[in-house]
Amino acid sequence: MATLLPPPKRQKVYHGVPEPEPEPVQPAPNVVVQFVSEDDGKPLAPAVNLPANIPRDALESLVNKLSTTDDDPVPFSFSIAVPGDTSNNGAPTRIVISNSIEKDVLSHPTHDFSPEDIFVIQCSPQAVFKVRPATRCSSTLSGHSSPILCASFSPTGNLLATGSGDCNARLWDLFTETPSHVLSGHKGWVLCVEWDGMERKLATGGHDGHVRLWDPKSGKPIGDAMRGHTKWVTSIAWEPIHINAAAPRLASSSKDGSVRVWLASTTRQLEYTLGGHSASVNVVRWGGGGVGGKGVLYTASSDRTVRVWDANGGKPIYTLKDHAHWVTTLALNTDFVLRTGPYDHTGKKPKSDQEAQSLSKARYDALATSVPELLISGSDDQTLYLWSLFPASGDAGKPKPVARLTGHQKQLSHVAFSPDGRFAASAAFDNSVRIWEGRTGKFVATLRGHVGAVYRLAWSADSRLLVSASKDSTLKIWDLKTYKLKTDLPGHTDEVYCVDFVADKVVSGGRDRKVKIWKN
């Protein structure tokens, strides 16, 4: 029997017009890439032949596989020098690779590159140090006679400040792990302690509605208390050093529904009051972004709103009304660099205010140029919102959240961005910690292990470790490669209210009135 061939395929016709032939997709050209170190120009690996459209993240994975023996991948930034172009103060102009070689280099509008060129990609590691996880308690420091409510390390990591229900704040020396000074003056619980970015002053806020300034070297008060709030002070924020190094101002939020901005370095007088909220203001954050990078104030309130203000004069910019219950916690992706100012992991100290301001500006810009300043707000409605209020493209119009972050089963207690801004972690009264992508708000993982509400979180400076403090009297350090528990730190005899990461030390305090320092 003869084999029957299938009938020829009929051409599809739409309304009498034949279907157009699909345009052939041009394959991306292959290019030869040489990865070199930005520091000394030495090759990190042999030259490789790659498709030009390989994404930036894949380039990073490739460099890590070719050049490092460490298990932990190192984040890199990539750039290509434009040959012969030295218009940048004598230094070669660089093109930063943020998408792919094809998109950023071959398609560059002003510089001609050919796929036949050898592309010398300069690689700069973004985390050149590694924090070791704490495994043991090295010191238990007594002194407070009531529960420890807040703790904050100084920008250099040499000093720790704690505030307590005994109406005192205390300073501790982290080199010797011994008490340094007792700061007495408040007439009620000390609810918040914050260092200025140059480590010259410590500000404390209390149940008595007063804000006080202290000299950390002598432990003496700087002038009288700054009075004006009619109810207790809930939060304090300093003006970033890259905006004002010589005389940073101070903002305080209060249960009385107001935020006050003080001229802390000169007369300690009130500059202006923000009075737009109709209920307790729970958090104030001083951001480094805004129009022209002049700084903005973010405030979160029990009136279910987050408000954004121009820090110069206090003019309202945005009111964000998406939450359905009290907004209790805020975090910025720039929090770490704003807090540590000019002090990075190298330990260099600036010689002048101008140098401190330029160092701080360089650190801030390095983080904020790739992604503009982002805000996360957390609420008792069990959700978080991620906001990009000042995008690089200019005017944002009416602000809409980038993402709504859902999954927690009870109210949020704390949210914190990792120092590199890649991730955010949230803690809640449902005993869990959740990890989210810092730029998109996409859910990454849930960290389970606590058997009580999780009160507080702190990231290590290299963004590889996260520590959580809980009602169950333990601290837990989480490995962000596996999203599993790395180290359990039992030792407190009651609830742990506050925790902070200092270099490779973890400090904690809580209801048992003890400050504990944990080391590797």
Side-chain angles (χ1 to χ4, degrees):
M1 183 178 166
T3 305
L4 288 175
L5 294 173
K9 195 173 179 184
R10 288 173 57 199
Q11 188 179 21
K12 287 184 183 176
V13 176
Y14 296 95
H15 303 290
V17 180
E19 182 185 28
E21 289 286 324
E23 288 186 22
V25 178
Q26 290 291 330
N30 273 24
V31 292
V32 177
V33 171
Q34 173 73 69
F35 295 107
V36 301
S37 167
E38 188 176 6
D39 294 332
D40 53 18
K42 290 183 180 173
L44 296 174
V48 286
N49 198 322
L50 300 171
N53 63 352
I54 185 169
R56 187 206 162 286
D57 290 347
L59 282 178
E60 191 170 87
S61 303
L62 183 64
V63 173
N64 273 291
K65 280 181 184 161
L66 292 173
S67 65
T68 61
T69 54
D70 197 352
D71 292 340
D72 283 337
V74 176
F76 283 96
S77 69
F78 299 114
S79 60
I80 288 181
V82 178
D85 185 346
T86 55
S87 55
N88 185 17
N89 294 330
T93 302
R94 289 187 182 183
I95 301 172
V96 175
I97 300 174
S98 52
N99 297 298
S100 67
I101 296 172
E102 183 178 43
K103 203 175 248 186
D104 298 317
V105 184
L106 292 177
S107 307
H108 200 279
T110 57
H111 300 294
D112 288 331
F113 283 92
S114 158
E116 280 78 37
D117 296 335
I118 293 180
F119 291 86
V120 179
I121 298 184
Q122 297 183 325
C123 310
S124 172
Q126 299 298 288
V128 291
F129 63 100
K130 192 170 175 182
V131 173
R132 297 177 301 170
T135 54
R136 63 190 172 87
C137 178
S138 64
S139 296
T140 300
L141 306 173
S142 305
H144 283 298
S145 56
S146 285
I148 297 165
L149 306 174
C150 51
S152 176
F153 72 85
S154 65
T156 60
N158 297 340
L159 293 169
L160 169 75
T162 54
S164 164
D166 62 9
C167 307
N168 291 335
R170 281 177 174 259
L171 293 176
W172 314 84
D173 188 323
L174 291 176
F175 274 136
T176 57
E177 300 187 6
T178 53
S180 171
H181 296 100
V182 181
L183 314 179
S184 301
H186 282 287
K187 296 180 174 61
W189 300 352
V190 180
L191 299 173
C192 42
V193 290
E194 288 295 334
W195 296 86
D196 80 324
M198 294 288 287
E199 205 175 285
R200 291 175 185 153
K201 293 185 180 72
L202 176 73
T204 57
H207 217 267
D208 55 8
H210 298 167
V211 177
R212 287 182 174 270
L213 294 177
W214 311 87
D215 179 358
K217 288 181 181 168
S218 65
K220 299 254 170 53
I222 301 172
D224 296 329
M226 295 184 279
R227 304 162 196 262
H229 287 299
T230 56
K231 291 187 180 174
W232 66 77
V233 177
T234 54
S235 168
I236 292 173
W238 285 92
E239 188 172 14
I241 294 300
H242 75 268
I243 297 173
N244 186 351
R249 293 170 291 168
L250 180 70
S252 59
S253 64
S254 170
K255 187 87 162 55
D256 65 12
S258 73
V259 174
R260 289 174 174 255
V261 175
W262 311 86
L263 298 166
S265 298
T266 50
T267 57
R268 297 189 316 287
Q269 297 296 311
L270 177 70
E271 186 182 355
Y272 58 82
T273 303
L274 305 176
H277 286 291
S278 57
S280 166
V281 183
N282 302 316
V283 196
V284 59
R285 278 270 189 277
W286 202 314
V291 181
K294 298 288 187 187
V296 284
L297 288 163
Y298 303 91
T299 57
S301 167
S302 294
D303 65 7
R304 308 196 297 277
T305 68
V306 175
R307 287 177 182 257
V308 186
W309 317 78
D310 184 344
N312 295 311
K315 185 178 153 209
I317 302 174
Y318 296 125
T319 301
L320 313 176
K321 300 180 176 176
D322 292 64
H323 281 294
H325 210 300
W326 301 345
V327 189
T328 54
T329 179
L330 292 178
L332 298 170
N333 63 338
T334 52
D335 272 340
F336 183 79
V337 292
L338 292 178
R339 176 183 175 181
T340 51
Y343 303 103
D344 60 9
H345 63 278
T346 59
K348 290 179 188 166
K349 293 197 174 179
K351 296 180 178 65
S352 65
D353 287 348
Q354 289 79 11
E355 188 184 352
Q357 191 159 344
S358 62
L359 284 170
S360 303
K361 182 91 171 76
R363 291 185 72 208
Y364 180 85
D365 288 347
L367 190 64
T369 42
S370 55
V371 181
E373 195 165 76
L374 300 174
L375 173 77
I376 283 188
S377 56
S379 164
D380 279 8
D381 66 7
Q382 305 172 18
T383 67
L384 303 118
Y385 280 99
L386 175 65
W387 307 88
S388 178
L389 300 171
F390 302 100
S393 56
D395 185 27
K398 189 180 176 188
K400 288 186 182 156
V402 176
R404 182 171 182 252
L405 286 54
T406 60
H408 281 294
Q409 305 298 309
K410 290 187 179 176
Q411 61 262 46
L412 274 295
S413 55
H414 192 214
V415 62
F417 269 101
S418 61
D420 61 10
R422 290 183 168 210
F423 295 100
S426 58
F429 283 76
D430 61 5
N431 308 356
S432 76
V433 175
R434 284 179 171 250
I435 307 292
W436 317 85
E437 279 186 8
R439 298 179 184 185
T440 62
K442 189 176 157 196
F443 171 73
V444 176
T446 303
L447 311 180
R448 299 193 188 278
H450 284 294
V451 293
V454 186
Y455 291 143
R456 195 85 188 162
L457 301 167
W459 288 86
S460 62
D462 64 356
S463 305
R464 289 190 176 105
L465 300 170
L466 177 72
V467 62
S468 53
S470 167
K471 183 179 181 177
D472 65 12
S473 81
T474 69
L475 298 164
K476 296 192 190 301
I477 294 182
W478 306 91
D479 186 338
L480 293 181
K481 263 198 324 188
T482 60
Y483 304 112
K484 295 275 192 321
L485 180 66
K486 193 173 189 81
T487 322
D488 200 8
L489 301 176
H492 282 285
T493 56
D494 212 327
E495 304 181 18
V496 188
Y497 294 141
C498 48
V499 65
D500 217 339
F501 230 124
V502 193
D504 52 3
K505 290 180 183 176
V506 172
V507 293
S508 58
R511 198 167 176 176
D512 62 3
R513 311 190 293 278
K514 300 284 191 291
V515 172
K516 284 187 176 282
I517 299 176
W518 312 82
K519 276 187 187 169
N520 184 267

